[in-house]
Amino acid sequence: MPFIKANGIEFHVQEMNRGADKIIVLIHGMFANLSMYYFKIAPQLAKHYHVVMYDFRSHGMSQKAKTGFDLISLTDDLVSILDQLNVKSFYLAGYSYGAIVALKMTTRFPEKVNELIVIEAPDPGVTDVLEQTIDFQQLAEYAHGDNAVSEQKLIGKRQLEKYKRSFTQLMDESSAKQDMFDQKDFFKNNLIDRINQRTLLLYGLSSDCKDACNELYDKIPNSSALFLDGDHRLPIQHPDKVAEEIEKFLLHEL
Amino acid sequence: MDQITKQTELSKDEIFVLLRTFIIDVIGEEFIEASEIQLNSSFTRDLDMDSIEMVAFSEKVKNYFGDEIDFTAWLSGLDLDQIIELNLSEIVNFIESCLS
Protein backbone atom coordinates (compact mmCIF):
# COMPACT_ATOMS: atom_id res chain seq x y z
CA MET A 1 0.00 0.00 0.00
CA PRO A 2 1.54 3.35 -0.97
CA PHE A 3 2.25 5.61 1.96
CA ILE A 4 4.10 8.93 2.01
CA LYS A 5 5.45 10.54 5.16
CA ALA A 6 4.65 14.25 5.21
CA ASN A 7 4.70 16.65 8.15
CA GLY A 8 5.39 13.73 10.48
CA ILE A 9 2.32 11.77 9.37
CA GLU A 10 2.09 8.66 7.17
CA PHE A 11 -0.41 9.46 4.43
CA HIS A 12 -2.21 6.89 2.31
CA VAL A 13 -1.84 8.02 -1.31
CA GLN A 14 -3.21 6.47 -4.49
CA GLU A 15 -2.34 7.33 -8.07
CA MET A 16 -3.83 6.23 -11.38
CA ASN A 17 -2.33 6.57 -14.88
CA ARG A 18 1.01 7.88 -13.68
CA GLY A 19 2.23 8.21 -17.27
CA ALA A 20 -0.17 11.00 -18.25
CA ASP A 21 1.18 14.52 -18.74
CA LYS A 22 -1.63 16.38 -17.00
CA ILE A 23 -2.23 15.80 -13.32
CA ILE A 24 -5.43 16.16 -11.33
CA VAL A 25 -5.47 16.03 -7.54
CA LEU A 26 -8.69 14.97 -5.79
CA ILE A 27 -9.42 15.99 -2.19
CA HIS A 28 -12.14 14.19 -0.22
CA GLY A 29 -14.41 15.66 2.45
CA MET A 30 -14.24 15.52 6.24
CA PHE A 31 -15.08 12.11 7.75
CA ALA A 32 -14.71 10.53 4.29
CA ASN A 33 -11.67 9.11 2.52
CA LEU A 34 -10.26 8.65 -0.98
CA SER A 35 -12.60 5.74 -1.69
CA MET A 36 -15.24 8.33 -2.64
CA TYR A 37 -13.20 8.86 -5.83
CA TYR A 38 -11.32 5.56 -6.20
CA PHE A 39 -14.02 3.34 -7.71
CA LYS A 40 -15.80 5.63 -10.18
CA ILE A 41 -14.59 9.21 -10.56
CA ALA A 42 -10.83 8.59 -10.51
CA PRO A 43 -10.82 5.76 -13.11
CA GLN A 44 -12.89 7.89 -15.48
CA LEU A 45 -10.54 10.87 -15.12
CA ALA A 46 -7.52 8.55 -15.34
CA LYS A 47 -8.36 7.84 -18.98
CA HIS A 48 -6.73 11.20 -19.74
CA TYR A 49 -5.10 12.42 -16.54
CA HIS A 50 -2.63 11.29 -13.92
CA VAL A 51 -4.91 11.15 -10.87
CA VAL A 52 -3.59 11.69 -7.35
CA MET A 53 -5.76 10.97 -4.30
CA TYR A 54 -4.86 10.86 -0.61
CA ASP A 55 -6.53 10.38 2.75
CA PHE A 56 -6.50 13.36 5.13
CA ARG A 57 -4.67 12.83 8.42
CA SER A 58 -6.80 10.62 10.71
CA HIS A 59 -8.94 9.56 7.72
CA GLY A 60 -9.04 6.37 5.71
CA MET A 61 -5.71 4.60 6.00
CA SER A 62 -3.63 7.65 6.91
CA GLN A 63 -2.04 7.90 10.32
CA LYS A 64 -4.01 9.32 13.23
CA ALA A 65 -3.24 12.83 14.46
CA LYS A 66 -4.51 14.86 17.38
CA THR A 67 -4.14 18.23 15.67
CA GLY A 68 -3.72 19.83 12.26
CA PHE A 69 -7.22 19.95 10.73
CA ASP A 70 -7.04 23.70 10.05
CA LEU A 71 -6.61 24.87 6.45
CA ILE A 72 -2.95 25.82 6.81
CA SER A 73 -2.00 22.39 8.16
CA LEU A 74 -4.14 20.50 5.64
CA THR A 75 -2.69 22.46 2.70
CA ASP A 76 0.82 22.00 4.11
CA ASP A 77 0.12 18.25 4.15
CA LEU A 78 -0.91 18.28 0.49
CA VAL A 79 2.06 20.39 -0.62
CA SER A 80 4.46 18.06 1.14
CA ILE A 81 2.84 14.96 -0.40
CA LEU A 82 2.93 16.48 -3.90
CA ASP A 83 6.53 17.64 -3.48
CA GLN A 84 7.50 14.05 -2.76
CA LEU A 85 5.62 12.88 -5.84
CA ASN A 86 7.50 15.59 -7.78
CA VAL A 87 4.20 17.15 -8.83
CA LYS A 88 4.82 20.83 -9.59
CA SER A 89 1.49 21.98 -11.03
CA PHE A 90 -1.89 20.33 -11.30
CA TYR A 91 -5.63 20.63 -11.73
CA LEU A 92 -7.34 20.52 -8.37
CA ALA A 93 -10.76 19.25 -7.31
CA GLY A 94 -12.14 19.10 -3.78
CA TYR A 95 -15.40 18.04 -2.20
CA SER A 96 -17.15 19.66 0.79
CA TYR A 97 -14.49 20.54 3.40
CA GLY A 98 -11.99 19.20 0.85
CA ALA A 99 -13.24 21.93 -1.52
CA ILE A 100 -12.46 24.51 1.17
CA VAL A 101 -8.97 22.99 1.36
CA ALA A 102 -8.76 23.27 -2.44
CA LEU A 103 -9.73 26.95 -2.32
CA LYS A 104 -7.15 27.56 0.41
CA MET A 105 -4.55 25.70 -1.64
CA THR A 106 -5.29 27.96 -4.62
CA THR A 107 -4.98 31.14 -2.57
CA ARG A 108 -1.74 30.00 -0.90
CA PHE A 109 -0.05 28.41 -3.90
CA PRO A 110 -1.60 29.99 -7.01
CA GLU A 111 1.39 29.06 -9.14
CA LYS A 112 0.74 25.36 -8.56
CA VAL A 113 -2.98 25.20 -9.35
CA ASN A 114 -3.84 25.31 -13.07
CA GLU A 115 -7.62 25.14 -12.78
CA LEU A 116 -9.97 24.52 -9.88
CA ILE A 117 -13.09 22.40 -9.37
CA VAL A 118 -15.09 23.15 -6.25
CA ILE A 119 -17.67 20.48 -5.45
CA GLU A 120 -20.23 21.32 -2.80
CA ALA A 121 -18.05 23.65 -0.73
CA PRO A 122 -20.04 24.89 2.26
CA ASP A 123 -19.59 28.38 3.70
CA PRO A 124 -17.60 27.88 6.91
CA GLY A 125 -19.07 31.18 8.16
CA VAL A 126 -22.57 29.78 8.30
CA THR A 127 -23.06 28.77 11.90
CA ASP A 128 -24.69 25.47 11.10
CA VAL A 129 -22.24 24.66 8.33
CA LEU A 130 -21.10 21.47 9.98
CA GLU A 131 -24.68 20.35 10.35
CA GLN A 132 -25.21 21.20 6.66
CA THR A 133 -22.49 18.89 5.52
CA ILE A 134 -21.93 16.37 8.28
CA ASP A 135 -24.71 14.57 10.06
CA PHE A 136 -23.19 14.55 13.53
CA GLN A 137 -26.33 13.05 15.00
CA GLN A 138 -26.14 10.12 12.62
CA LEU A 139 -22.42 9.66 13.29
CA ALA A 140 -23.10 9.65 17.01
CA GLU A 141 -25.87 7.10 16.51
CA TYR A 142 -23.51 4.93 14.49
CA ALA A 143 -20.97 5.24 17.26
CA HIS A 144 -23.49 4.19 19.88
CA GLY A 145 -24.82 1.42 17.69
CA ASP A 146 -28.45 2.45 17.99
CA ASN A 147 -29.03 3.52 14.42
CA ALA A 148 -31.61 1.92 12.17
CA VAL A 149 -28.88 1.31 9.63
CA SER A 150 -27.03 -0.96 12.01
CA GLU A 151 -30.24 -2.72 12.98
CA GLN A 152 -30.82 -3.54 9.34
CA LYS A 153 -27.37 -5.15 9.30
CA LEU A 154 -26.20 -2.76 6.58
CA ILE A 155 -23.23 -2.26 8.83
CA GLY A 156 -21.75 -5.05 10.91
CA LYS A 157 -20.32 -5.14 14.41
CA ARG A 158 -16.69 -4.75 13.34
CA GLN A 159 -17.52 -1.71 11.17
CA LEU A 160 -19.60 -0.26 13.97
CA GLU A 161 -16.62 -0.51 16.31
CA LYS A 162 -14.40 0.99 13.64
CA TYR A 163 -16.77 3.95 13.16
CA LYS A 164 -16.95 4.38 16.89
CA ARG A 165 -13.17 4.51 17.25
CA SER A 166 -12.82 6.94 14.32
CA PHE A 167 -15.62 9.17 15.57
CA THR A 168 -14.27 9.27 19.11
CA GLN A 169 -10.73 9.86 17.93
CA LEU A 170 -11.71 12.75 15.67
CA MET A 171 -14.44 14.41 17.71
CA ASP A 172 -13.33 13.86 21.28
CA GLU A 173 -9.60 13.28 21.13
CA SER A 174 -8.47 15.63 18.35
CA SER A 175 -8.85 19.29 17.43
CA ALA A 176 -10.83 18.49 14.23
CA LYS A 177 -14.17 19.96 15.23
CA GLN A 178 -12.66 23.13 16.71
CA ASP A 179 -10.28 23.51 13.75
CA MET A 180 -13.24 23.38 11.35
CA PHE A 181 -15.19 25.93 13.36
CA ASP A 182 -12.13 28.19 13.42
CA GLN A 183 -12.30 28.55 9.62
CA LYS A 184 -15.58 30.47 9.88
CA ASP A 185 -14.20 33.68 8.32
CA PHE A 186 -12.67 31.94 5.33
CA PHE A 187 -15.21 33.23 2.79
CA LYS A 188 -14.70 36.78 4.13
CA ASN A 189 -11.01 36.47 3.33
CA ASN A 190 -10.46 38.71 0.33
CA LEU A 191 -7.85 36.33 -1.05
CA ILE A 192 -10.68 34.30 -2.56
CA ASP A 193 -11.55 37.32 -4.72
CA ARG A 194 -8.08 37.15 -6.18
CA ILE A 195 -8.33 33.59 -7.42
CA ASN A 196 -7.60 33.96 -11.12
CA GLN A 197 -7.80 30.31 -12.05
CA ARG A 198 -10.63 29.14 -14.23
CA THR A 199 -12.99 27.62 -11.65
CA LEU A 200 -15.95 25.27 -11.85
CA LEU A 201 -18.45 25.36 -8.99
CA LEU A 202 -20.31 22.05 -9.02
CA TYR A 203 -23.36 21.73 -6.75
CA GLY A 204 -26.48 19.63 -6.29
CA LEU A 205 -29.79 21.19 -7.23
CA SER A 206 -31.15 20.18 -3.82
CA SER A 207 -28.00 21.06 -1.91
CA ASP A 208 -28.11 22.99 1.37
CA CYS A 209 -24.89 24.69 0.26
CA LYS A 210 -26.23 26.55 -2.79
CA ASP A 211 -25.83 29.92 -1.07
CA ALA A 212 -22.12 29.17 -0.77
CA CYS A 213 -22.04 28.50 -4.51
CA ASN A 214 -23.61 31.91 -5.22
CA GLU A 215 -21.14 33.62 -2.92
CA LEU A 216 -18.15 31.93 -4.55
CA TYR A 217 -19.54 32.72 -8.00
CA ASP A 218 -19.67 36.41 -7.07
CA LYS A 219 -16.17 36.35 -5.58
CA ILE A 220 -14.17 34.31 -8.08
CA PRO A 221 -13.93 36.29 -11.32
CA ASN A 222 -13.28 33.39 -13.68
CA SER A 223 -15.86 30.98 -12.25
CA SER A 224 -18.82 29.16 -13.69
CA ALA A 225 -21.51 27.35 -11.72
CA LEU A 226 -23.18 24.10 -12.66
CA PHE A 227 -26.05 22.45 -10.80
CA LEU A 228 -26.76 18.75 -11.21
CA ASP A 229 -29.57 16.56 -9.87
CA GLY A 230 -28.71 15.61 -6.30
CA ASP A 231 -27.90 17.16 -2.94
CA HIS A 232 -24.73 17.61 -0.91
CA ARG A 233 -23.81 13.97 -1.54
CA LEU A 234 -23.60 14.64 -5.28
CA PRO A 235 -20.31 12.77 -6.01
CA ILE A 236 -21.64 9.72 -4.19
CA GLN A 237 -25.06 9.93 -5.81
CA HIS A 238 -23.90 10.60 -9.37
CA PRO A 239 -20.17 9.88 -9.69
CA ASP A 240 -20.32 9.25 -13.45
CA LYS A 241 -22.00 12.59 -14.09
CA VAL A 242 -19.58 14.43 -11.79
CA ALA A 243 -16.59 12.89 -13.57
CA GLU A 244 -18.10 13.70 -16.95
CA GLU A 245 -18.62 17.37 -16.01
CA ILE A 246 -15.10 17.64 -14.62
CA GLU A 247 -13.73 16.23 -17.89
CA LYS A 248 -15.82 18.63 -19.96
CA PHE A 249 -14.65 21.56 -17.87
CA LEU A 250 -11.00 20.56 -18.19
CA LEU A 251 -11.44 20.19 -21.95
CA HIS A 252 -12.91 23.70 -21.96
CA GLU A 253 -16.25 22.40 -23.19
CA LEU A 254 -18.10 24.09 -20.34
CA MET B 1 2.28 -11.05 -1.68
CA ASP B 2 2.02 -7.54 -3.10
CA GLN B 3 4.58 -8.14 -5.83
CA ILE B 4 3.60 -7.92 -9.46
CA THR B 5 3.92 -11.39 -10.91
CA LYS B 6 2.67 -13.49 -13.82
CA GLN B 7 0.05 -15.99 -12.72
CA THR B 8 -1.58 -17.21 -15.90
CA GLU B 9 -1.75 -20.81 -14.67
CA LEU B 10 -3.96 -20.24 -11.64
CA SER B 11 -7.09 -22.35 -11.32
CA LYS B 12 -10.37 -20.97 -10.00
CA ASP B 13 -9.72 -22.55 -6.60
CA GLU B 14 -6.24 -21.09 -6.45
CA ILE B 15 -7.56 -17.63 -7.31
CA PHE B 16 -10.13 -17.97 -4.52
CA VAL B 17 -7.49 -19.02 -1.99
CA LEU B 18 -5.31 -16.10 -3.06
CA LEU B 19 -8.13 -13.56 -2.72
CA ARG B 20 -9.01 -15.03 0.66
CA THR B 21 -5.45 -14.32 1.78
CA PHE B 22 -5.78 -10.72 0.57
CA ILE B 23 -9.02 -10.30 2.52
CA ILE B 24 -7.46 -11.64 5.72
CA ASP B 25 -4.50 -9.28 5.20
CA VAL B 26 -6.85 -6.32 4.85
CA ILE B 27 -9.28 -7.14 7.65
CA GLY B 28 -6.74 -8.67 10.03
CA GLU B 29 -6.67 -12.29 11.16
CA GLU B 30 -7.82 -11.23 14.61
CA PHE B 31 -11.17 -10.30 13.05
CA ILE B 32 -11.79 -13.07 10.55
CA GLU B 33 -10.89 -16.71 9.95
CA ALA B 34 -10.30 -18.27 6.55
CA SER B 35 -13.29 -20.59 7.04
CA GLU B 36 -15.61 -17.58 7.29
CA ILE B 37 -14.69 -16.46 3.78
CA GLN B 38 -16.70 -18.32 1.16
CA LEU B 39 -16.88 -18.05 -2.61
CA ASN B 40 -20.35 -16.51 -2.33
CA SER B 41 -19.39 -14.10 0.50
CA SER B 42 -20.44 -10.52 -0.15
CA PHE B 43 -17.77 -7.97 0.74
CA THR B 44 -20.02 -5.66 2.72
CA ARG B 45 -22.87 -7.81 4.03
CA ASP B 46 -20.93 -10.99 4.86
CA LEU B 47 -17.35 -9.82 5.31
CA ASP B 48 -18.29 -6.45 6.80
CA MET B 49 -15.71 -4.59 4.72
CA ASP B 50 -15.99 -0.84 4.23
CA SER B 51 -15.02 1.18 1.19
CA ILE B 52 -11.45 1.95 2.24
CA GLU B 53 -10.87 -1.75 2.93
CA MET B 54 -12.19 -2.44 -0.56
CA VAL B 55 -9.58 0.01 -1.85
CA ALA B 56 -6.85 -1.91 0.02
CA PHE B 57 -8.16 -5.21 -1.37
CA SER B 58 -8.29 -3.81 -4.92
CA GLU B 59 -4.71 -2.60 -4.64
CA LYS B 60 -3.58 -6.07 -3.60
CA VAL B 61 -5.33 -7.59 -6.61
CA LYS B 62 -3.82 -4.99 -8.96
CA ASN B 63 -0.33 -5.32 -7.51
CA TYR B 64 -0.41 -9.10 -7.71
CA PHE B 65 -1.77 -9.49 -11.24
CA GLY B 66 -0.34 -6.30 -12.76
CA ASP B 67 -1.19 -5.81 -16.42
CA GLU B 68 -2.74 -9.25 -16.76
CA ILE B 69 -6.09 -7.88 -15.61
CA ASP B 70 -7.57 -4.39 -15.74
CA PHE B 71 -9.23 -4.52 -12.36
CA THR B 72 -9.71 -0.74 -12.13
CA ALA B 73 -11.61 -0.59 -15.42
CA TRP B 74 -13.74 -3.58 -14.48
CA LEU B 75 -14.66 -2.10 -11.09
CA SER B 76 -15.38 1.33 -12.54
CA GLY B 77 -17.81 -0.28 -14.97
CA LEU B 78 -19.97 -1.40 -12.06
CA ASP B 79 -22.56 0.81 -10.37
CA LEU B 80 -21.83 1.73 -6.76
CA ASP B 81 -24.72 -0.50 -5.70
CA GLN B 82 -23.13 -3.38 -7.60
CA ILE B 83 -19.79 -2.72 -5.91
CA ILE B 84 -21.51 -2.75 -2.50
CA GLU B 85 -23.21 -6.06 -3.36
CA LEU B 86 -20.12 -7.57 -4.97
CA ASN B 87 -19.23 -11.09 -3.89
CA LEU B 88 -15.99 -13.00 -4.13
CA SER B 89 -17.10 -15.35 -6.91
CA GLU B 90 -17.69 -12.42 -9.28
CA ILE B 91 -14.08 -11.33 -8.86
CA VAL B 92 -12.76 -14.89 -9.14
CA ASN B 93 -14.71 -15.32 -12.40
CA PHE B 94 -13.46 -12.00 -13.74
CA ILE B 95 -9.82 -12.82 -12.95
CA GLU B 96 -10.17 -16.32 -14.40
CA SER B 97 -11.63 -14.89 -17.63
CA CYS B 98 -8.67 -12.49 -17.93
CA LEU B 99 -6.10 -15.23 -17.38
CA SER B 100 -7.63 -17.81 -19.71
Side-chain angles (χ1 to χ4, degrees), chain A residues 1-2 12 14 16 33-35 38-40 43 55 60-61 153 155-159 162 236 239-240, chain B residues 2 27 31 45 47-56 58-59 62 72 75-80 83:
Chain A
M1 201 58 60
H12 172 220
Q14 290 289 346
M16 290 183 185
N33 56 58
L34 63 78
S35 68
Y38 180 92
F39 294 104
K40 299 292 289 181
D55 286 334
M61 287 190 277
K153 187 69 177 74
I155 177 169
K157 189 179 172 191
R158 186 177 63 84
Q159 285 306 328
K162 193 176 167 187
I236 313 296
D240 292 329
Chain B
D2 279 2
I27 296 179
F31 292 111
R45 197 175 51 253
L47 302 178
D48 199 16
M49 288 171 73
D50 66 11
S51 54
I52 199 69
E53 289 170 338
M54 285 291 288
V55 170
S58 302
E59 285 300 304
K62 285 198 266 184
T72 303
L75 276 177
S76 70
L78 302 175
D79 291 334
L80 282 180
I83 293 173

Side-chain angles (χ1 to χ4, degrees), chain A residues 103-147:
Chain A
L103 284 160
K104 183 70 176 180
M105 190 77 184
T106 309
T107 62
R108 284 189 76 197
F109 306 100
E111 72 286 358
K112 291 180 184 290
V113 180
N114 299 326
E115 294 181 350
L116 177 63
I117 297 112
V118 172
I119 309 167
E120 282 290 332
D123 178 355
V126 176
T127 51
D128 65 347
V129 63
L130 292 178
E131 282 74 17
Q132 277 184 13
T133 56
I134 299 164
D135 192 337
F136 282 106
Q137 181 63 30
Q138 191 183 45
L139 282 171
E141 286 172 357
Y142 275 144
H144 295 117
D146 54 5
N147 184 278

Side-chain angles (χ1 to χ4, degrees), chain A residues 139-180:
Chain A
L139 282 171
E141 286 172 357
Y142 275 144
H144 295 117
D146 54 5
N147 184 278
V149 173
S150 60
E151 286 167 13
Q152 290 167 17
K153 187 69 177 74
L154 291 177
I155 177 169
K157 189 179 172 191
R158 186 177 63 84
Q159 285 306 328
L160 209 55
E161 289 301 318
K162 193 176 167 187
Y163 276 124
K164 187 177 179 178
R165 279 197 307 277
S166 299
F167 181 80
T168 304
Q169 198 275 330
L170 266 172
M171 302 311 294
D172 300 335
E173 297 167 9
S174 87
S175 61
K177 196 170 181 180
Q178 188 60 49
D179 286 350
M180 289 173 75

